[in-house]
Structure formats: structure tokens, C-alpha cells
Amino acid sequence: MVDHDLLDHRLADVGIQGIARNWLCSFISGRGQRVALGREMSSRHSLVCGVPQDAILSPMLFNIFMCPLAQIIRSFGLGCHQYADDIQLYLLMDGHTNSAPNTLTRCLEAVAGWFRGSRLKVNPSKTEVLWLGRDGMGMRDQLPSLAGAQLVPLPSVKSLGVILDASLSMEAQVTATAKATFFHLRRIKQLVPYLSRPDLATVIHATVISRLDYCNSLYAELPLKLSQKLQRVQNAAARLLTGSLPREHIHPVLFKLHWLPVEYRVRFKVLLLTFKSLHGLGPSYLRDRLSWYAPRRASRSINNNTLVVPGPKEVDWLQPEPGPFQLWLRPGGTLCLMRPGPCRI
């Protein structure tokens, strides 16, 4: 859906000129496609839009094409994160279910107009709304519309593979992860007689452990009943890999494999993200929310390299304007996530 003429103009807008711009234009232009069905082949059709799939340059070109959208969104006072064709909008409200702010309505109208002007399609049927707070269903008749379709709040949505619910309890995400990993463990168990120990370890890491580790920083401070669900998955994977019996204690098995328990893997991920953010290796939006602890008077804790822990009332979120909305937008549809004040993540 990336229009070649519009992409050419946006390459110039970001400062790509001269030979580099001509080279990129020649990379995307002059391409065609055919359809093969059995022995029949259609005539060649020239392409005036789109970037080649699986090309290294294609994601970069797509991000350049979508760049103006973030500027439009931020001009209305909303926060915005972009990841490929997922664009997340954040608008903090005061938690009251009176009405959606006019800025949100005008922003959605501007976004829909930008999509039309960029020859992209907004698919309201793929729009998902999540109100993070109480009385989310009370907003059902008060949310703005997008491209003529009324937005409706949902009990949970999926963002980049993570299921978020209205209370941010992570229960739906943990349950889905445990279900998927146990399914793979049952399938892997059938392959145990045919795989060597290193190959079995590779399969378990690729299909089970990777799912436990994906975005596991969100599992920090989970209730015990949820963290135990994930720990049972790791225990089952360790027993399958080592051939341990169910009655054997699991700690020596995990120690032998050099596997940290799930709780400590989560702590390690949080500490790693913190270290990277403090040293310029992580995202800036995390670094902006970290500050070193400086006691008001001289004490022994001044050199402990500790960070400030914000209280529940020390929260400005992404922008000063009230409103609980976070929205994800895609070229093929829009995903919205809403969040009320007065606290922030």
C-alpha cells in the first residue's frame, strides 16, 4: 500500500536527497507481478505501490512513509509509540466517564484524513478499545467514532503478542502462555526418543523457554498463583530435558541446567532494562522515568546507587491533558488502549 510517488516526497522530507534518493526510487520502481495458476500465467502488471517483501530496506522505507502520522498525533497533545505498522496513541484522562475529550475526536478525524490522503485504508472493524480503570463499560456509548464506526471497549486486547486486560493483572497473558507452552511440551515429548540431548534442548528453548521470556518484565510482582503457573511450565520443561522423575526436587534440576527460576528471570530482565536505560542503551521513554535517589541530608545511602521510587501521586504521564485513551493504529485497522489517571506506568 506504500504509494511510490508519496514515498519519493517523504524521502525528501526526511533529508534524503541526491544519489541516495535516486537509488532508493530505482529500488522500488519498475517492479511488476504475475499470477500463476497451474500452467497458466497472467500478463505482467506494473506496480505503482508497495515495497518488496523480505528486503532489508523495506521496513525502513515503510517507517519513513508512516513518519508524518506521529507528528499529526502529537500535535493534538497525545503520546505516540510506533512499531512497524502498529502505532500506539496515549491520552490520559481524569478517570471520569463523562465524555471523550474533543481533542481525541479531532485527532481521530485527522488520522482518518491522513490515511485517505496517503492512499491507505483504515479498517474500523479491527479497532479494539481497552479502558484501563473502573467503569470502562460505561464509556460504551460515549467513545468517539473512527471512519464512521463507533468504538467499543473490550475486556482485553493483544499488543505485540501480549494480552492486556482492563486491570493490568496479566492473568489472561499468563494463562495463554501456560496453555501454549504446555501444548508444545506435549508435542516435544513425542520426539524425545528421536532427538539427542543438545537437539532436545534447542527445541525446548525455541518453543517453550522463549515464550516464558517474551516480555517477561511485565510479570514483575505477579501474584503467587500466576507466577506458579509459569514456574510449572519451566519445571515440566526441565524434567523433560533431563529425564527427571516428578517426585524429584526441582531445584537441583534447575541448578544443573543453569536455569534461573521464573521469578528470578523476571528480576534479571527488569534489572537489565534498567541498566540499559540508565546507560543510553534502552528506550528514551524509560530513561526519562528513572532518576537517581538523592537524600535531602548527608547519609550512608547517598552512595548506594539507588533509584527514586515514585509514589502513587507523583505522576504526570505522557502529556498534561486529561484522558484515559491509548490507541494503536495500523494501516489495515486501529487498536486503541485507554488508560485513566491519576497514576502512570
Side-chain angles (χ1 to χ4, degrees):
M1 299 296 293
V2 175
D3 185 89
H4 292 170
D5 294 334
L6 292 176
L7 179 59
D8 183 26
H9 290 293
R10 288 173 189 174
L11 288 173
D13 292 339
V14 298
I16 300 178
Q17 299 285 357
I19 296 177
R21 180 181 171 190
N22 294 335
W23 183 81
L24 289 173
C25 291
S26 67
F27 171 72
I28 61 175
S29 62
R31 295 182 178 271
Q33 66 179 13
R34 293 182 177 181
V35 177
L37 180 61
R39 297 182 179 181
E40 301 296 327
M41 181 78 69
S42 68
S43 58
R44 185 179 183 276
H45 178 74
S46 298
L47 296 178
V48 296
C49 62
V51 291
Q53 293 187 6
D54 300 327
I56 295 176
L57 291 175
S58 296
M60 180 196 69
L61 294 174
F62 180 79
N63 288 334
I64 292 175
F65 188 82
M66 299 294 293
C67 186
L69 181 58
Q71 300 172 1
I72 294 175
I73 293 168
R74 294 191 177 102
S75 68
F76 288 91
L78 280 74
C80 178
H81 290 163
Q82 290 181 276
Y83 181 84
D85 60 347
D86 284 332
I87 303 175
Q88 304 180 6
L89 280 70
Y90 306 90
L91 176 59
L92 182 66
M93 287 180 69
D94 55 9
H96 298 295
T97 58
N98 296 329
S99 63
N102 292 330
T103 53
L104 178 62
T105 302
R106 290 187 284 109
C107 180
L108 291 181
E109 292 174 352
V111 166
W114 183 88
F115 271 88
R116 289 191 299 269
S118 299
R119 301 176 186 174
L120 299 175
K121 178 179 174 57
V122 176
N123 193 342
S125 64
K126 292 185 178 180
T127 299
E128 296 177 337
V129 180
L130 179 65
W131 174 285
L132 296 184
R134 299 177 180 177
D135 301 325
M137 295 298 110
M139 292 292 293
R140 180 176 297 274
D141 299 327
Q142 303 180 31
L143 294 177
S145 60
L146 177 66
Q150 182 66 38
L151 301 181
V152 178
L154 298 176
S156 64
V157 298
K158 181 176 285 190
S159 172
L160 300 179
V162 177
I163 301 175
L164 300 174
D165 56 79
S167 60
L168 291 181
S169 66
M170 304 305 296
E171 184 172 359
Q173 169 66 14
V174 169
T175 301
T177 300
K179 181 179 179 181
T181 48
F182 273 123
F183 168 79
H184 286 288
L185 282 174
R186 289 191 296 269
R187 301 293 296 269
I188 294 171
K189 189 175 182 179
Q190 301 175 6
L191 301 176
V192 170
Y194 309 101
L195 296 177
S196 63
R197 173 73 177 272
D199 292 339
L200 181 61
T202 300
V203 173
I204 289 177
H205 278 286
T207 59
V208 177
I209 303 302
S210 63
R211 283 180 166 82
L212 292 179
D213 289 342
Y214 180 70
C215 291
N216 63 345
S217 57
L218 298 175
Y219 300 150
E221 304 300 329
L222 276 183
L224 184 60
K225 67 174 184 178
L226 294 181
S227 61
Q228 283 181 340
K229 282 187 177 182
L230 301 175
Q231 188 58 54
R232 283 194 289 269
V233 174
Q234 189 189 47
N235 295 348
R239 295 186 192 280
L240 180 61
L241 180 57
T242 59
S244 304
L245 298 177
R247 63 175 178 269
E248 296 183 40
H249 202 279
I250 194 59
H251 286 172
V253 178
L254 296 178
F255 182 81
K256 181 180 179 181
L257 293 172
H258 299 281
W259 287 6
L260 285 173
V262 170
E263 179 184 356
Y264 293 96
R265 297 172 82 94
V266 172
R267 292 187 186 181
F268 175 78
K269 177 65 74 64
V270 172
L271 292 174
L272 182 62
L273 282 174
T274 303
F275 176 85
K276 288 184 174 181
S277 299
L278 288 172
H279 292 81
L281 303 174
S284 60
Y285 57 83
L286 291 182
R287 176 63 186 91
D288 294 341
R289 285 158 177 75
L290 299 176
S291 57
W292 295 105
Y293 171 69
R296 297 181 179 179
R297 57 184 178 84
S299 63
R300 287 178 295 179
S301 63
I302 194 171
N303 296 320
N304 286 349
N305 290 330
T306 54
L307 299 174
V308 174
V309 179
K313 295 184 179 180
E314 301 177 27
V315 210
D316 322 315
W317 204 38
L318 292 175
Q319 68 287 319
E321 184 169 347
F325 294 90
Q326 299 183 3
L327 301 96
W328 282 270
L329 295 110
R330 306 185 181 113
T334 306
L335 169 63
C336 312
L337 172 60
M338 308 183 182
R339 177 184 189 339
C343 60
R344 77 176 174 195
I345 300 175

